Amino acid sequence: MASSPMPTPPPRSWRSTLKRGAVALTGATALVASLLAPSAASADPAFTSDADTSANVTHIANVPKTEVMSDFNSDLAFTGDYAIGGNYNGFVIYDISTPESPTVVSEVLCPGGQGDVSVSGDLLYFSVDYARASDECGAPSVPTSDPNGFEGIRIFDISDKENPEYVAAVRTDCGSHTNTLVPGKDGEHEYIYVSSYSPSANFPNCQPPHDKISIIEVPIDDPASAQVIDAPVLFPEGGYRNTSGCHDITVYPKHDIAAGACMGDGILMDISDPAAPVVTDVVQDTNFAFWHSATFTNDGATVMFTDELGGGGGATCLESIGSERGANAIYTIDGFKKGEPELSFEGYFKIPRMQGSTENCVAHNGSLIPVPGRDFFVQSWYQGGVSVIDFNDPSDPQEIGYFDRGPIDDSRLVLGGSWSAYYYNGYVYSSDITRGLDVIKLEDPRFRVAEQVHMSEFNPQSQPEYRPGRGNGR
């Protein structure tokens, strides 16, 4: 799902961001930017990489941000030949049928915070965690202290990729910083786990202790009637370091398990009933500042958590910080096959490439490289770039490839870099906060079998089980 608590400019009026090439539609329809000219919304055919890469990594394309999506890029989701990119101004739909020259199909101008995205068939779920005057896309920002302010989930119909339509909105306590898609067992419903945090007695819609998540049930044939059905308390006795909600949750429906990254705590959950998750284990780590996200191995027997030290805006890939802070922590799941899972710490991983003091750098969003029976991971590190990691030995993970640009500014710390990096149908797609969408090819014999894994849909926070050949995903 993913994403970070980072400093952002003050919310701006949506009218000030409506630029050339955008069409404002009101009422029940989303604010949708028209199809942009290829020169303004596609990869440069004479592309030359500005990144340093290892010998087994090739940077093949970059699609710069447009004026409409002038704010920060955030997370990614995938459906068919399309990538959906979140942005603080809304979301972008990219055509990636030709990965060497992706193009922008449409842009939906609908501000509301970092804009975490999940996709399910023709539906897109979009997180709103900056209060707006109403649930409409054109509503201006309002203070979080406004009791009528809207935060939560917006639902869009993206069956027509050039003209997405706004379907519905669901308000949730404390809004939605991230969201996680969970398929239902009956084939008639699906669920959205909504993660949010940082309550305050001054926020009428986000009251402490907020030791819970919100669960939205979506009838697949009637998404407009989606509603919150429960808000289970995950920390009835309070969490470590005053945990008040979760940052992100990753589910593995095949094995009925989920891992929650919840501020001061890492948790494991049983989701055999997706409408009623149950916490089965909780761990803390004094080296972790902020439990941010999680990824399971393909066999479900290991999970990697990330620590977003500094909230994503700090320069933490420095010798003075060390290798155990702002890093990944790897846990094996003891008793996994017996139905009595417990987390057991194995080791840390942090990129060995030291970055400068003007480069925000910390562990962030990534996904497995789908090599069945082996454990490889691709991960974003903001201005630390993209790392390719071998963690087949969870106690001694190693970087085996990388993509790394130089600092945005040599003289001062400027927020930027890769927010998310995910492997999808033979390529790595990286959402760069300021530079747009990057496409990367892994030229390594260890990953050849991954090219046989074809997905029809991919939400990184809703993990599929990978199998060689076609038929993976939904």
Side-chain angles (χ1 to χ4, degrees):
M1 107 179 6
S3 34
S4 60
M6 58 172 61
T8 62
R12 295 167 294 179
S13 165
W14 69 275
R15 299 181 192 278
S16 69
T17 63
L18 190 59
K19 303 290 186 178
R20 170 178 53 84
V23 177
L25 305 177
T26 59
T29 306
L31 298 173
V32 181
S34 62
L35 181 62
L36 303 177
S39 61
S42 62
D44 184 347
F47 172 73
T48 300
S49 179
D50 59 350
D52 177 33
T53 63
S54 57
N56 57 352
V57 172
T58 303
H59 186 197
I60 64 171
N62 171 265
V63 183
K65 295 200 302 184
T66 67
E67 293 180 68
V68 177
M69 293 296 143
S70 58
D71 216 323
F72 299 146
N73 276 348
S74 57
D75 214 354
L76 295 167
F78 303 86
T79 179
D81 289 332
Y82 300 92
I84 316 296
N87 183 282
Y88 278 63
N89 273 353
F91 65 89
V92 185
I93 300 180
Y94 300 94
D95 182 336
I96 56 172
S97 56
T98 304
E100 293 79 6
S101 56
T103 59
V104 170
V105 176
S106 60
E107 299 180 295
V108 173
L109 186 60
C110 196
Q114 69 183 34
D116 204 46
V117 289
S118 293
V119 64
S120 175
D122 291 333
L123 297 178
L124 178 74
Y125 301 107
F126 181 86
S127 290
V128 180
D129 68 340
Y130 283 7
R132 317 300 293 186
S134 74
D135 60 10
E136 293 186 0
C137 278
S141 63
V142 295
T144 311
S145 56
D146 185 339
N148 298 313
F150 170 78
E151 295 178 278
I153 293 288
R154 290 185 174 123
I155 303 174
F156 295 85
D157 181 336
I158 58 169
S159 54
D160 181 351
K161 301 297 186 295
E162 295 186 12
N163 296 286
E165 295 186 358
Y166 192 3
V167 174
V170 181
R171 182 190 301 271
T172 60
D173 289 349
C174 294
S176 172
H177 193 66
T178 63
N179 72 82
T180 303
L181 174 70
V182 190
K185 302 279 188 175
D186 61 5
E188 298 179 0
H189 301 83
E190 57 193 14
Y191 301 88
I192 305 297
Y193 290 176
V194 177
S195 297
S196 54
Y197 55 94
S198 293
S200 168
N202 297 321
F203 301 160
N205 299 318
C206 187
Q207 291 287 296
H210 192 68
D211 45 8
K212 61 187 180 180
I213 61 173
S214 296
I215 299 177
I216 297 174
E217 183 178 68
V218 184
I220 295 173
D221 291 337
D222 184 19
S225 64
Q227 61 180 329
V228 175
I229 60 165
D230 199 5
V233 172
L234 304 182
F235 303 95
E237 298 178 0
Y240 185 57
R241 293 177 180 164
N242 299 317
T243 292
S244 56
C246 293
H247 178 274
D248 213 341
I249 294 171
T250 293
V251 298
Y252 197 169
K254 173 70 175 180
H255 294 292
D256 288 333
I257 54 175
C262 304
M263 300 181 69
D265 300 76
I267 67 173
L268 200 63
M269 291 187 284
D270 179 337
I271 59 166
S272 52
D273 179 355
V278 177
V279 175
T280 60
D281 198 18
V282 180
V283 292
Q284 293 93 30
D285 185 336
T286 56
N287 282 322
F288 262 42
F290 189 88
W291 294 70
H292 177 274
S293 52
T295 304
F296 291 100
T297 51
N298 196 45
D299 63 5
T302 303
V303 61
M304 179 186 290
F305 288 99
T306 68
D307 171 28
E308 194 183 46
L309 173 68
T316 73
C317 297
L318 306 170
E319 290 186 4
S320 59
I321 300 296
S323 60
E324 296 181 350
R325 299 171 61 210
N328 300 327
I330 303 170
Y331 290 78
T332 52
I333 305 175
D334 299 329
F336 169 66
K337 293 184 179 180
K338 297 179 181 179
E340 299 175 353
E342 292 183 356
L343 294 168
S344 179
F345 175 77
E346 295 289 343
Y348 294 108
F349 171 84
K350 190 170 182 180
I351 57 171
R353 296 169 287 107
M354 294 297 101
Q355 305 293 304
S357 60
T358 66
E359 294 177 283
N360 60 302
C361 175
V362 74
H364 215 233
N365 293 353
S367 72
L368 294 182
I369 300 170
V371 180
R374 302 286 286 166
D375 297 329
F376 299 108
F377 191 62
V378 61
Q379 183 179 18
S380 63
W381 289 77
Y382 290 112
Q383 287 195 68
V386 175
S387 181
V388 183
I389 304 162
D390 177 341
F391 68 113
N392 286 284
D393 179 353
S395 66
D396 186 28
Q398 300 291 325
E399 180 173 77
I400 57 173
Y402 63 86
F403 162 94
D404 188 1
R405 288 185 168 100
I408 295 173
D409 192 313
D410 288 317
S411 61
R412 62 190 181 99
L413 181 61
V414 176
L415 189 67
S418 178
W419 179 294
S420 302
Y422 301 128
Y423 189 100
Y424 180 71
N425 291 352
Y427 297 84
V428 173
Y429 295 88
S430 169
S431 176
D432 189 286
I433 293 172
T434 60
R435 294 181 171 107
L437 180 73
D438 288 302
V439 186
I440 299 165
K441 183 70 172 175
L442 304 182
E443 312 281 0
D444 192 310
R446 287 171 287 192
F447 308 139
R448 285 174 184 162
V449 68
E451 297 180 9
Q452 301 174 28
V453 177
H454 293 270
M455 303 293 295
S456 58
E457 183 176 290
F458 181 44
N459 295 292
Q461 288 75 40
S462 184
Q463 283 191 230
E465 182 179 52
Y466 292 123
R467 303 180 303 276
R470 296 187 178 275
N472 292 271
R474 298 174 60 188

